[in-house]
Amino acid sequence: MKVDGKDMRPIWFDSVSQTVKVIDQRMLPHKLVVAELRTVDNVIDAIKRMFVRGAPLIGVTGAFGVYNAIVELCQKQKRSRQHKNASDACSKKISAAVSDKDRAYDKACDDYLKRECQRLKDARPTAVNLAWGVNRVLEVALRYEQYDKKLMAVLQEACQIVEEEAENCRLIGEHGLRLIEEISRRKEGKPVNILTHCNAGWLATVEYGTATAPMYTAFDRGVDIHVWVDETRPLNQGARLTAWELGRHGIKHTVITDNAGGHLMQHGMVDIVIVGTDRTTRTGDVANKIGTYLKALAANDNSVPFYVALPSSTFDWSLKDGVKDIPIEERDPDEIRHVQGIDAQGNLISVLVPPQQSGAANHAFDVTPSRLVTGFITERGICEASEESILSLFPEHAGNIG
Amino acid sequence: MKVDGKDMRPIWFDSVSQTVKVIDQRMLPHKLVVAELRTVDNVIDAIKRMFVRGAPLIGVTGAFGVYNAIVELCQKQKRSRQHKNASDACSKKISAAVSDKDRAYDKACDDYLKRECQRLKDARPTAVNLAWGVNRVLEVALRYEQYDKKLMAVLQEACQIVEEEAENCRLIGEHGLRLIEEISRRKEGKPVNILTHCNAGWLATVEYGTATAPMYTAFDRGVDIHVWVDETRPLNQGARLTAWELGRHGIKHTVITDNAGGHLMQHGMVDIVIVGTDRTTRTGDVANKIGTYLKALAANDNSVPFYVALPSSTFDWSLKDGVKDIPIEERDPDEIRHVQGIDAQGNLISVLVPPQQSGAANHAFDVTPSRLVTGFITERGICEASEESILSLFPEHAGNIG
């Protein structure tokens, strides 16, 4: 998407430095900082500390993490050769001739790679895309025995995922557009008021976003829309990121507290709610940023349609009961106690809000039961929040329960 | 209540300086600052800018505002006498002999007083206690013709309201205690987890608080309780004030985002919700801090009892439909955009969170329909959220619909 007229994505492979680069989203909207992820640890740190966040984006970042793991393996192996350390399990890996001994080394290297992938997948527990992205690239890596081929294939697969996710989001925009156009027609062209929670925008994906894709598409096609942006405590991804994205694209929006949506819906000021998701069961239960469930309850109580936009990489085909089975990450309580922004001089700083002695609990996600979800907007079209309807769009997963 | 071992109320009449003093709650929990309210404008400013907040407390503060109005009238009149300005409508008011001419002056003074009272009542629109407190004291003021008697009677009435509200809150604590004890028995002494929104504590009343009164009473009687404190955006009255109050009293508590309550209830981590209210209809609809409605929906969805604690001064006996008829205050959007806390050096400052260009909307209250309220805890006992049940406790208001 455009930032000040310049094309930008939240993640890209820099062909000059041969490294993965990401926007450090912790600094937005006040500073646009780019970080370089050279190692697996860099990737894990960027995911854990939320330089990158949003289910599709951490899936993509995890995919590039596998690339970093192979680069690091290569470097280890080079160092090992330099030191002629025969005991290093990976020491002969790059040799073209594959002897029996080499095959043993292969196995050790692949075991190392699998362990690194597990570390990547453990960086954040709730979003299923992370495991999905890592596993998909790992599978490709394991097909090759030579480093250069392995490396090239893995980079290609990661870049392929990036493009697929971008295309999926574009399609989500096309399908979701129909819902917004329908409301716009019913309101005779008056602005369609859309409420969203957290940031399921292009910063959370690659392009377009998930929840925001129908908004961008509608805006670009000339539909009059206005977006209520939940600030989304504790990390204010709505106030910081969604407001920034929409503003840069020229979309009318208003920041509200997470408390406000119910009141707005009671008074007819919300036409549709569209959110993203970090993991969705095959039965339609939705794990998303904490507080989503409360908005779904309010939408249900006021007959406001509540849609969840997602690429199919966010479905966890192995789960049936979201409330029971989706792991909910607990993060550092200081994310609640401290709030980041700019002071009067424009310095980015944090302030402590509650008493120094008061503790906090920081559950990062909640689960919205399918009964509160009007429907899903996916790359293949719109379906209802039921196993039957979801599988009608994704029949290849009909038998695939873990 | 005690602050560092010292008895403290959020408002008091200082007999030495003959002025009204309040805790400037905007500075809590980081600074304990006392402000002096000498004029009607001081009182209006303190209410509008939220030095004082909470329905019962702004009722009491408004009552003292009437006292200030009479003091100011007195001062005007003194100045007028000094300047021998015969055109001042109030110039002869203090003379003991009441001539026909004096009676005309009385009327002008009373008209002035009524206008000042209207200004006081307009300071904040949602809490009904403000109008209730002002009207009650104004009525007393209008009974007297001599300044000194007027002044004395008004001061007495305002102080009487203070003591009545304190006693009402004590009784709310006694009645609410039963609910908590019952849960404690059912849980065989395991901690009772109570969730509250905003600050309906002693800082919002005079003593004990409304929602917190049952908590203080239970704690003081040795019941094991733990309180989930909604931070309560935008002004963080939960994180700043409720956490401070509970902490100073030694009550176990955890600050959470306003987004978290639904998740906690889904997982059985909340035994009861108790909140305050700014205005309650005779039919049981509850206007309270924005976001209360979302918690009521979650409580209802998870069969968690949802109680509202209030002194009867918070009932608006003239209203039947809360969502339609209770005016909802809209405050400065900058209260959302900026967050106040202390920086690393301990300085109290504000930081801007969203992009400079993004606007915000700041509805301060929402209305929870009576169908979502399990019951009311009042000074006369507990009742259901229906007109019939409310009037069974307050039969004197049976005919009193405006």
Side-chain angles (χ1 to χ4, degrees), chain A residues 30 231 233 239 253 255 258-259 266-267 290-291 293 301-302 323 341-342 349 351-355 358-361 367 371, chain B residues 30 231 233 239 253 255 258-259 266-267 290-291 293 301-302 323 341-342 349 351-355 358-361 367 371:
Chain A
H30 304 297
E231 60 179 7
R233 292 277 299 142
H253 63 282
V255 176
D258 303 312
N259 285 323
Q266 271 182 330
H267 291 270
I290 190 89
Y293 167 49
D301 201 44
N302 294 284
V323 175
I342 50 168
I349 60 165
V351 294
L352 172 72
V353 175
S358 293
V367 174
R371 67 186 149 87
Chain B
H30 304 297
E231 59 179 8
R233 290 279 297 142
H253 65 281
V255 176
D258 303 313
N259 284 324
Q266 270 181 331
H267 291 270
I290 189 90
Y293 167 50
D301 200 46
N302 294 284
V323 175
I342 51 169
I349 60 164
V351 294
L352 172 72
V353 175
S358 292
V367 174
R371 66 186 149 85

Side-chain angles (χ1 to χ4, degrees), chain B residues 305-323:
Chain B
F306 183 93
Y307 280 90
V308 178
L310 75 168
S312 55
S313 55
T314 311
F315 280 111
D316 183 337
W317 302 104
S318 73
L319 296 186
K320 286 203 149 205
D321 184 334
V323 175

Side-chain angles (χ1 to χ4, degrees), chain B residues 198-340:
Chain B
C198 198
N199 173 264
W202 65 262
L203 285 167
T205 59
V206 178
E207 296 264 14
Y208 308 101
T210 54
T212 57
M215 305 177 201
Y216 286 123
T217 308
F219 176 83
D220 290 347
R221 308 276 169 88
V223 182
D224 193 359
I225 65 168
H226 164 262
V227 184
W228 296 109
V229 178
D230 273 4
E231 59 179 8
T232 319
R233 290 279 297 142
L235 290 176
N236 293 314
Q237 291 95 333
R240 293 192 302 108
L241 307 178
T242 305
W244 182 76
E245 272 193 27
L246 295 175
R248 291 288 157 128
H249 203 80
I251 295 180
K252 282 183 289 184
H253 65 281
T254 306
V255 176
I256 51 174
T257 64
D258 303 313
N259 284 324
H263 171 76
L264 298 176
M265 291 185 216
Q266 270 181 331
H267 291 270
M269 292 154 84
V270 178
D271 297 306
I272 185 171
V273 181
I274 313 180
V275 298
T277 164
D278 292 79
R279 188 186 296 220
T280 295
T281 65
R282 63 191 291 128
T283 53
D285 294 342
V286 174
N288 191 42
K289 181 61 53 203
I290 189 90
T292 302
Y293 167 50
L294 297 174
K295 292 302 133 64
L297 285 167
N300 182 61
D301 200 46
N302 294 284
S303 307
V304 172
F306 183 93
Y307 280 90
V308 178
L310 75 168
S312 55
S313 55
T314 311
F315 280 111
D316 183 337
W317 302 104
S318 73
L319 296 186
K320 286 203 149 205
D321 184 334
V323 175
K324 261 174 55 189
D325 296 333
I326 297 177
I328 299 296
E329 178 180 7
E330 278 193 64
R331 294 181 58 84
D332 185 348
D334 272 346
E335 289 183 351
I336 292 179
R337 292 161 35 86
H338 292 87
V339 177
Q340 179 186 277

Side-chain angles (χ1 to χ4, degrees), chain A residues 154-174:
Chain A
V154 157
L155 182 58
Q156 213 164 32
E157 187 71 11
C159 291
Q160 170 78 12
I161 292 179
V162 168
E163 297 312 320
E164 279 176 23
E165 290 293 65
E167 175 62 6
N168 284 345
C169 289
R170 192 187 68 75
L171 291 168
I172 289 170
E174 291 295 330

